[in-house]
């Protein structure tokens, strides 16, 4: 059987007019041959959003190898970050509202195991079809699910950025799952700076047309820049070959 390889690249850039980038990301090759990927978006307009995102990435970066139960390992890191962020707020009350999203996945050539909270996203591109794996934990998502508002209208809504779950404001746990990986699959992790500026169909077209992983993330970023990129934008692409 031909070995499946995973090629990964990532990029992050602050939004137009922002003093700092509240996004953080992680790409790490683990000792057991797996890859750990993560994006985190510090809640804009809230105190120390960048610090919350940094706490999440630091907790995840402590992972060096995994057992067969990979989802619990990821979950424990997110819950550890939740406690760390809440303890910061207890010590410094002016940090009330501090929090960040977290979308993280462990992948090898065979499977992907993921954990998610907030409105950053993970997509899977397979056989030319882009599928959103994660569900946004946003104020408007329930209205989208019930059909009361369309996804397009929600993207333009003034409440589009309001989260009902994050690390630091968690009250319903995290989402998680796993799925098989096949040669030719592409996994995309991103913060909302990407999908709020360019459509899923355009994301798919760019990924399908660019074979080089690092050039692919750069082309996605440039497409966001051209569209205005009001928010910090972070993108990770992982391509399965073999």
């Amino acid at each position: 059987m031909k070995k499946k390889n995973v090629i990964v690249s990532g990029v992050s850039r602050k939004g137009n007019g922002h003093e700092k980038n509240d996004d953080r990301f992680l790409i790490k090759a683990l000792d057991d041959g797996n890859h750990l990927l993560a994006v985190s978006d510090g809640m804009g307009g809230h105190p120390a959003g960048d610090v919350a995102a940094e706490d999440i990435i630091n907790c995840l970066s402590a992972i060096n190898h995994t057992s067969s139960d990979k989802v619990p390992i990821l979950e424990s890191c997110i819950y550890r970050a939740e406690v760390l962020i809440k303890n910061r707020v207890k010590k410094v009350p002016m940090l009330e509202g501090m929090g960040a999203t977290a979308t993280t996945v462990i992948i090898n050539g065979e499977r992907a195991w993921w954990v998610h909270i907030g409105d950053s996203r993970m997509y899977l591109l397979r056989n030319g079809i882009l599928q959103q794996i994660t569900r946004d934990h946003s104020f408007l998502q329930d209205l989208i699910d019930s059909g009361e508002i369309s996804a397009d209208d929600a993207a333009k809504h003034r409440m589009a950025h309001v989260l009902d779950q994050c690390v630091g404001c968690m009250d319903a746990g995290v989402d998680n799952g796993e799925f098989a990986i096949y040669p030719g699959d592409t996994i995309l992790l991103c913060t909302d700076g990407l999908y709020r500026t360019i459509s899923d169909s355009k994301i798919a077209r760019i990924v399908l047309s660019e074979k080089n992983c690092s050039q692919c993330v750069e082309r996605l970023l440039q497409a966001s820049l051209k569209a205005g990129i009001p928010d910090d934008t972070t993108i990770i692409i992982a391509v399965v070959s073999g």
Side-chain angles (χ1 to χ4, degrees):
M1 179 182 294
K2 190 174 182 180
K3 183 180 179 181
K4 299 174 186 175
N5 296 313
V6 180
I7 304 167
V8 188
S9 185
V11 68
S12 185
R13 179 160 175 167
K14 68 183 180 70
N16 290 336
H18 288 203
E19 294 183 1
K20 58 183 174 64
N21 189 346
D22 286 328
D23 284 2
R24 297 291 185 273
F25 75 98
L26 174 67
I27 298 173
K28 183 175 182 178
L30 303 181
D31 295 342
D32 53 15
N34 294 320
H35 288 77
L36 171 61
L37 316 176
V39 296
S40 180
D41 180 357
M43 292 171 63
H46 291 272
D50 58 332
V51 177
E54 191 77 24
D55 285 341
I56 292 165
I57 295 302
N58 286 341
C59 287
L60 287 166
S61 64
I63 298 174
N64 291 310
H65 60 274
T66 61
S67 64
S68 57
D69 297 325
K70 295 174 176 55
V71 166
I73 292 172
L74 294 175
E75 287 182 333
S76 67
C77 289
I78 300 304
Y79 291 132
R80 195 178 310 129
E82 169 83 0
V83 172
L84 181 58
I85 291 168
K86 286 188 172 179
N87 284 341
R88 288 186 185 277
V89 175
K90 287 180 181 178
K91 293 177 181 177
V92 185
M94 67 178 294
L95 295 179
E96 183 67 39
M98 176 182 180
T101 70
T103 302
T104 181
V105 62
I106 293 173
I107 61 175
N108 56 28
E110 307 291 336
R111 296 196 71 78
W113 299 263
W114 59 271
V115 167
H116 162 78
I117 184 169
D119 68 347
S120 295
R121 290 182 179 178
M122 179 169 68
Y123 293 91
L124 172 65
L125 181 68
R126 175 178 293 164
N127 298 327
I129 299 172
L130 187 70
Q131 176 188 0
Q132 183 180 334
I133 301 297
T134 54
R135 177 183 182 275
D136 296 345
H137 296 129
S138 65
F139 176 79
L140 296 175
Q141 187 60 50
D142 288 339
L143 299 179
I144 296 172
D145 293 344
S146 66
E148 295 179 51
I149 187 173
S150 70
D152 288 342
D153 288 341
K156 304 168 188 173
H157 198 282
R158 62 185 180 85
M159 301 289 284
H161 293 80
V162 178
L163 302 182
D164 57 17
Q165 285 283 309
C166 73
V167 186
C169 59
M170 191 187 305
D171 58 26
V174 296
D175 294 343
N176 64 69
E178 64 177 282
F179 55 90
I181 291 176
Y182 301 98
D185 284 354
T186 296
I187 293 174
L188 165 67
L189 276 65
C190 66
T191 56
D192 63 347
L194 178 67
Y195 68 79
R196 292 197 196 281
T197 52
I198 61 176
S199 66
D200 287 3
S201 59
K202 185 167 185 178
I203 291 172
R205 286 197 302 272
I206 292 173
V207 176
L208 286 167
S209 65
E210 181 56 69
K211 303 303 181 184
N212 182 285
C213 197
S214 59
Q215 290 180 10
C216 184
V217 294
E218 187 60 32
R219 281 188 61 191
L220 288 169
L221 178 62
Q222 291 304 316
S224 285
L225 285 169
K226 189 175 181 180
I229 194 171
D231 295 319
D232 303 330
T233 300
T234 300
I235 306 161
I236 298 176
I237 290 279
V239 179
V240 182
S241 62

